[in-house]
């Protein structure tokens, strides 16, 4: 009798265990969440606040849009689910960001993790995401150091890796036979990786930079640096910095009395209005930049709004003119939306597989989405454009590559 | 050689300006024995003052100097009475002031973000002169010379105030020994109030030139300016306002020489100098044992 009871109990226990294991394995598929929790950080203060807030605004705009339609379609549950954004303020501080990313993963248990703006604030999220086996959606952290090995936990979605950015620029300089190139750059992943790529490509073309120096990321006084740089008699001056660096650099150049035939900076192509306000039309005239959406437009898209429609809808919803970072934040949402609509399971690895599946056959308002096995964005290449005077303002003229050119380069730039 | 000359002249001009950036902090510390951790935020407010004067009043941003002085009086008087007497009565005013002014700095940052947003704001460089002025064949923008000239005038004014007026004598007496000054009948509270307001005004005046020397002004600059100011006054002499000039010049020359020859390390200058000075000569280059009480 005792052995019979023991035998029955064993069967009952085995059945309970089997049910428990089964429910653990498929629990999420059986009971879809009431909302998709997307965790992210933004900076309301500090050097990255302008860019970070724009990017966050773009993501919010996307979330509001999909929620109006009843949420995002999640293939794993075969239904639409509303989106919730859980966001904390890292105040542009990497140490604060580290704590907050950790909180999003371990306390808030977000379903999808989106990095804050730029390489500096993304740098602390990359190892954390990998450690916790979370896929990090990285809108604009393009530092080349992030993408050195194969990973299932990182995907750069709205910008090419910074090591890819200067490829068209290097080809452009070689194509125009610019022999004396000066490069000044911020000592951070984003700027340094651009500078190193440019240098390597130029050297491959038998051009050695006549000036190649890093400056602190917080550099705000370029007067003496410009004078030192001018002593190398460059034909082209390339400055890789964040928006604040570009403003200080261009203003110092304008007031220094120095003239260079060709000047390149990064952020006029991303934060055009901010640079115009701070630097002025005259100083920006004939300088070169990487133009990004919405300054360059993509009409035919496979997912989300195209560039022109986004600009109009964003203006209507927020009353603001969209800049690139608004676009980047929105684009991150569009990629997440397609990822959820593609992934057959609701798991981080399935999300990554979905992104790899989307790679090469998805076009959004920033161009062709294409990631490699290291998570780097290798599509969405940035052309080279010149800011040319038009009336009382400036127009963006794409000058390289030639198949995308919308006008002719003016070189040397006229003296101010 | 030309590069060295340029770095030295640039360093002197930059250093003179940064003497003005730090001198207000030193005056307040010297007289009140309190560390104004919101000093950088008051400098940034001066920068926004210049921007407002140019953008909305359509005046030359130099009028921001007047606005800064008025602002220092309007903000300084109530702020002093609200916090300083209470702090002075506490057991450890220095440490408490550290915490209190840190909180104040965060509040000012938040208020500036609400008022101005987080974006950089600039004033056209030409408003302080569109040309360049040369010295020994090395030219610098007019705005640099104007900033240095205003800094010299402000520091000279402070020097004359401290060495030629009765209030100045009393201020120095309070700086030397607060208890003895009180015992000898000096109105210590009045002197402290005046020094506090002058300190804020000097910070505001320095701020007027921030958009010209640092390219733009934004709320995020405050903490960095406080740290740099702190390094400068320790290099010069903590508690001796005029010692700030030496600290400023050492900082300016060090920064510009590093930018010329080793630019990626240039932001280490103030902190490396600070560490060296604290180790080798803790009272600063011009210092006496000012912190004895």
């Amino acid at each position: 009798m005792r052995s019979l009871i023991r035998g029955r109990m064993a069967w009952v226990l085995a059945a309970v265990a089997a049910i428990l294991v089964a429910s653990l394995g498929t629990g999420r598929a059986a009971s879809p969440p009431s909302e998709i929790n997307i965790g992210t950080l933004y900076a309301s203060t500090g050097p990255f606040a302008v860019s970070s807030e724009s990017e966050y605004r773009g993501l919010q705009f996307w979330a509001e849009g999909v929620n109006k339609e009843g949420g995002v379609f999640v293939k794993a549950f075969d239904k639409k689910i509303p989106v919730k954004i859980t966001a904390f303020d890292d105040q542009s501080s990497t140490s604060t960001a580290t704590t907050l990313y950790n909180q999003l993963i371990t306390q808030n248990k977000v379903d999808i993790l989106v990095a804050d703006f730029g390489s500096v604030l993304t740098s602390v999220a990359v190892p954390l995401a990998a450690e916790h086996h979370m896929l990090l959606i990285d809108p604009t952290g393009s530092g080349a150091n992030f993408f050195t090995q194969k990973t299932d936990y990182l995907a750069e979605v709205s910008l090419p890796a910074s090591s890819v950015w200067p490829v068209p620029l290097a080809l452009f300089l070689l194509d125009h036979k610019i022999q004396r190139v000066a490069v000044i750059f911020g000592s951070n992943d984003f700027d340094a990786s651009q500078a190193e790529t440019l240098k390597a490509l130029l050297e491959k073309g038998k051009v050695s930079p006549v000036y190649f120096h890093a400056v602190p990321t917080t550099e705000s006084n370029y007067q003496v640096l410009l004078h030192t740089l001018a002593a190398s008699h460059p034909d082209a001056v390339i400055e890789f910095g964040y928006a604040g660096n570009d403003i200080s650099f261009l203003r110092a150049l304008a007031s220094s009395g120095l003239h260079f035939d060709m000047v390149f900076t990064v952020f006029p192509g991303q934060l055009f209005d901010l640079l115009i306000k701070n630097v002025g039309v005259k100083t920006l005239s004939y300088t070169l930049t990487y133009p990004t959406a919405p300054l360059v437009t993509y009409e035919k898209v496979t997912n989300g709004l195209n560039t022109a429609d986004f600009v109009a809808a964003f203006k209507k919803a927020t009353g603001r003119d969209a800049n690139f970072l608004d676009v980047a934040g929105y684009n991150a949402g569009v990629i997440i939306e397609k990822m959820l609509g593609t992934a057959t399971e609701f798991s981080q690895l399935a999300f990554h597989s979905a992104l790899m599946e989307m790679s090469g056959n998805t076009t959004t308002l920033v161009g062709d989405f294409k990631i490699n096995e290291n998570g780097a964005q290798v599509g969405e290449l940035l052309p080279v454009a010149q800011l040319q005077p038009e009336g009382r303002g400036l127009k963006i003229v794409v000058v390289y590559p030639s198949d995308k050119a919308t006008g002719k380069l003016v070189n040397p730039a006229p003296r101010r | 050689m030309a590069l060295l000359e340029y770095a030295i002249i640039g360093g002197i001009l930059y250093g003179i300006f940064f003497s003005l950036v730090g001198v207000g902090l030193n005056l307040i510390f010297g007289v009140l024995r309190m560390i104004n951790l919101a000093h950088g935020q008051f400098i940034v407010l001066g920068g926004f003052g210049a921007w407002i004067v140019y953008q909305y009043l359509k005046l030359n941003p130099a009028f921001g100097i007047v606005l800064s002085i008025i602002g220092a009086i309007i903000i300084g008087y109530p702020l002093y009475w609200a916090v300083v007497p209470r702090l002075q009565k506490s057991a450890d005013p220095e440490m408490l002031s550290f915490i209190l002014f840190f909180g104040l700095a965060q509040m000012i940052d938040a208020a500036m973000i609400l008022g101005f947003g987080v974006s950089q704001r600039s004033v056209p460089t030409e408003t302080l002169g569109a040309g360049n002025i040369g010295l020994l064949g090395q030219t610098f923008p007019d705005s640099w010379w104007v900033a240095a000239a205003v800094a010299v005038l402000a520091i000279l004014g402070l020097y004359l105030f401290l060495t030629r007026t009765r209030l100045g004598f009393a201020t120095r007496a309070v700086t030397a020994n607060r208890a003895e000054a009180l015992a000898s009948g000096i109105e210590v509270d009045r002197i402290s109030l005046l020094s506090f307001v002058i300190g804020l005004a000097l910070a505001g005046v320095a701020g007027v030139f921030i958009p010209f020397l640092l390219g733009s002004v934004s709320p995020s600059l405050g903490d960095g300016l406080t740290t740099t100011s702190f390094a400068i006054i320790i290099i010069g002499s903590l508690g001796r306002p005029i010692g700030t000039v030496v600290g400023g010049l050492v900082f300016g020359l060090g920064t510009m020489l590093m930018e010329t020859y080793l630019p990626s390390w240039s932001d280490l200058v103030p902190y490396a100098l600070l560490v060296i000075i604290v180790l080798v000569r803790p009272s600063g280059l011009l210092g006496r044992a000012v912190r004895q009480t």
Side-chain angles (χ1 to χ4, degrees):
Chain A
M1 186 68 184
R2 260 180 136 178
S3 63
L4 185 68
I5 292 171
R6 202 179 287 157
R8 278 187 182 168
M9 274 188 74
W11 274 107
V12 169
L13 282 173
V16 168
I19 291 165
L20 275 174
V21 168
S23 66
L24 280 174
T26 58
R28 302 205 79 156
S31 55
S34 58
E35 54 195 9
I36 304 294
N37 193 353
I38 298 177
T40 192
L41 303 183
Y42 65 94
S44 71
T45 56
F48 306 116
V50 178
S51 306
S52 172
E53 288 204 326
S54 285
E55 192 176 292
Y56 178 48
R57 215 163 29 233
L59 185 66
Q60 283 177 309
F61 172 78
W62 165 79
E64 283 160 17
V66 293
N67 282 342
K68 270 184 202 160
E69 305 287 321
V72 283
F73 176 71
V74 184
K75 190 175 183 183
F77 302 120
D78 196 27
K79 65 180 283 195
K80 278 190 171 185
I81 301 175
V83 165
K84 175 193 166 193
I85 295 182
T86 303
F88 298 118
D89 182 1
D90 59 34
Q91 298 170 23
S92 297
S93 154
T94 47
S95 54
T96 309
T98 306
T99 310
L100 294 175
Y101 281 126
N102 222 339
Q103 187 177 327
L104 285 170
I105 298 168
T106 60
Q107 305 297 313
N108 301 91
K109 299 193 186 302
V110 295
D111 299 308
I112 294 165
L113 184 65
V114 179
D116 196 349
F117 159 80
S119 299
V120 174
L121 296 173
T122 301
S123 63
V124 291
V126 174
L128 268 177
E131 188 186 327
H132 291 276
H133 296 168
M134 282 287 294
L135 171 66
L136 179 68
I137 301 291
D138 165 15
T140 50
S142 55
N145 292 356
F146 307 158
F147 312 107
T148 51
Q149 57 190 16
K150 189 175 180 302
T151 177
D152 293 331
Y153 302 110
L154 178 62
E156 193 186 18
V157 296
S158 298
L159 266 180
S162 57
S163 55
V164 177
W165 288 33
V167 174
L169 174 65
L171 297 174
F172 162 80
L173 292 168
L174 292 171
D175 207 41
H176 285 78
K177 303 198 180 342
I178 309 292
Q179 293 296 317
R180 301 185 67 81
V181 180
V183 184
I184 184 166
F185 57 97
S187 45
N188 55 68
D189 283 349
F190 169 65
D191 295 317
S193 54
Q194 288 183 75
E196 291 297 341
T197 302
L198 180 68
K199 187 183 178 194
L201 290 170
L202 289 176
E203 282 175 346
K204 214 180 252 183
K206 310 273 183 245
V207 173
S208 291
V210 292
Y211 180 97
F212 189 83
H213 281 293
V215 296
T217 302
T218 51
E219 185 61 63
S220 56
N221 189 321
Y222 285 86
Q223 193 67 37
V224 170
L225 288 164
L226 274 167
H227 194 83
T228 314
L229 181 154
S232 64
H233 305 293
D235 297 323
V237 176
I238 314 296
E239 189 262 332
F240 293 126
Y242 282 106
N245 303 107
D246 290 2
I247 289 170
S248 300
F249 172 83
L250 289 164
R251 280 173 59 88
L253 177 60
S255 64
S256 67
L258 295 168
H259 173 82
F260 302 109
D261 289 345
M262 189 181 279
V263 173
F264 177 96
T265 56
V266 175
F267 274 82
Q270 293 188 29
L271 298 171
F272 187 63
D273 291 338
L274 179 75
L275 269 287
I276 289 273
K277 259 184 221 164
N278 282 281
V279 178
V281 167
K282 203 170 142 191
T283 303
L284 277 174
S285 293
Y286 301 105
T287 63
L288 299 165
T289 189
Y290 303 121
T292 53
L295 298 176
V296 283
T297 57
Y298 292 88
E299 201 179 320
K300 288 180 183 167
V301 296
T302 58
N303 293 83
L305 298 170
N306 70 16
T307 320
D309 290 345
F310 170 77
V311 169
F314 188 79
K315 176 85 177 175
K316 195 176 167 192
T318 65
R320 292 168 182 269
D321 292 320
N323 61 41
F324 168 70
L325 293 156
D326 299 315
V327 173
Y330 170 75
N331 185 63
V334 171
I335 295 296
I336 290 169
E337 188 176 350
K338 184 164 184 188
M339 177 186 84
L340 291 169
T342 306
T344 49
E345 284 177 36
F346 198 77
S347 72
Q348 300 297 315
L349 285 176
F351 293 163
H352 181 255
S353 299
L355 288 178
M356 296 307 284
E357 198 181 312
M358 289 156 55
S359 175
N361 55 38
T362 303
T363 303
T364 66
L365 74 172
V366 294
D368 296 328
F369 175 79
K370 203 173 176 183
I371 54 170
N372 66 16
E373 60 178 14
N374 297 351
Q377 179 60 234
V378 291
E380 303 169 2
L381 281 179
L382 301 168
V384 179
Q386 187 171 44
L387 304 171
Q388 295 182 358
E390 184 180 57
R392 297 178 69 184
L394 291 169
K395 64 175 176 179
I396 306 277
V397 177
V398 177
V399 292
Y400 193 86
S402 50
D403 61 323
K404 287 186 180 161
T406 57
K408 282 192 173 175
L409 173 76
V410 178
N411 185 43
R415 284 185 175 271
R416 277 182 283 272
Chain B
M1 194 60 192
L3 286 180
L4 179 64
E5 279 177 18
Y6 196 84
I8 290 173
I9 296 170
I12 291 170
L13 291 174
Y14 199 62
I16 291 171
F17 170 70
F18 267 88
S19 304
L20 178 61
V21 167
V23 74
L25 180 65
N26 213 355
L27 178 68
I28 290 173
F29 178 79
V31 177
L32 280 78
R33 286 292 182 272
M34 286 183 183
I35 299 154
N36 176 12
L37 275 190
H39 180 73
Q41 278 69 18
F42 286 107
I43 295 173
V44 173
L45 281 174
F48 278 116
W51 178 75
I52 289 168
V53 162
Y54 171 77
Q55 191 73 22
Y56 294 110
L57 305 181
K58 308 293 176 199
L59 294 171
N60 189 292
F63 283 101
I65 293 173
V66 180
L67 189 65
S68 292
I69 294 168
I70 295 169
I73 294 167
I74 293 171
I75 297 170
Y77 271 73
L79 181 62
Y80 176 89
W81 289 118
V83 300
V84 177
R86 282 169 187 269
L87 283 175
Q88 296 285 14
K89 283 177 197 158
S90 68
D92 189 355
E94 272 183 43
M95 179 48 80
L96 272 182
S97 71
F98 213 74
I99 298 163
L100 190 138
F101 283 107
F102 172 75
L104 182 66
Q106 302 306 308
M107 286 168 63
I108 297 174
D109 269 348
M112 285 193 292
I113 289 168
L114 282 174
F116 303 108
V118 290
S119 305
Q120 292 89 346
R121 310 277 172 168
S122 303
V123 179
T125 319
E126 311 85 80
T127 49
L128 291 186
N132 280 260
I133 296 172
L135 179 68
L136 303 173
Q138 308 297 336
T139 59
F140 284 86
D142 293 350
S143 53
W144 279 54
W145 295 97
V146 174
V150 170
V152 167
L153 287 175
I155 293 167
L156 189 64
L158 178 65
Y159 175 76
L160 292 175
F161 165 74
L162 291 173
T163 58
R164 300 279 191 279
T165 67
R166 291 178 69 84
L167 274 175
F169 295 149
T171 306
R172 287 165 62 202
V174 176
T175 304
N177 192 312
R178 193 176 182 85
E180 280 181 18
L182 194 63
S184 63
I186 292 172
E187 291 179 85
V188 172
D189 272 340
R190 189 172 154 232
I191 296 298
S192 298
L193 169 63
L194 186 64
S195 301
F196 188 71
V197 172
I198 292 174
L200 297 191
L202 288 167
V205 171
V208 169
F209 299 96
I210 288 293
F212 298 93
L213 272 91
L214 302 187
S216 61
V217 61
S218 69
S220 63
L221 289 177
D223 291 341
L225 285 167
T226 301
T227 318
T228 304
S229 304
F230 204 62
I232 286 171
I233 66 174
I234 289 174
I235 293 166
S237 170
L238 193 61
R240 279 189 85 187
I242 303 307
T244 316
V245 177
V246 176
L249 286 172
V250 171
F251 165 73
L253 283 165
T255 303
M256 292 303 155
L257 287 168
M258 287 294 277
E259 284 196 349
T260 302
Y261 298 107
L262 213 52
S264 55
W265 295 86
S266 59
D267 62 345
L268 279 185
V269 168
Y271 312 108
L273 289 170
L274 186 145
V275 169
I276 293 166
I277 293 292
V278 167
L279 290 175
V280 176
R281 197 175 160 82
S283 55
L285 291 175
L286 279 196
R288 295 172 302 204
V290 290
R291 297 188 72 219
Q292 286 175 0
T293 54

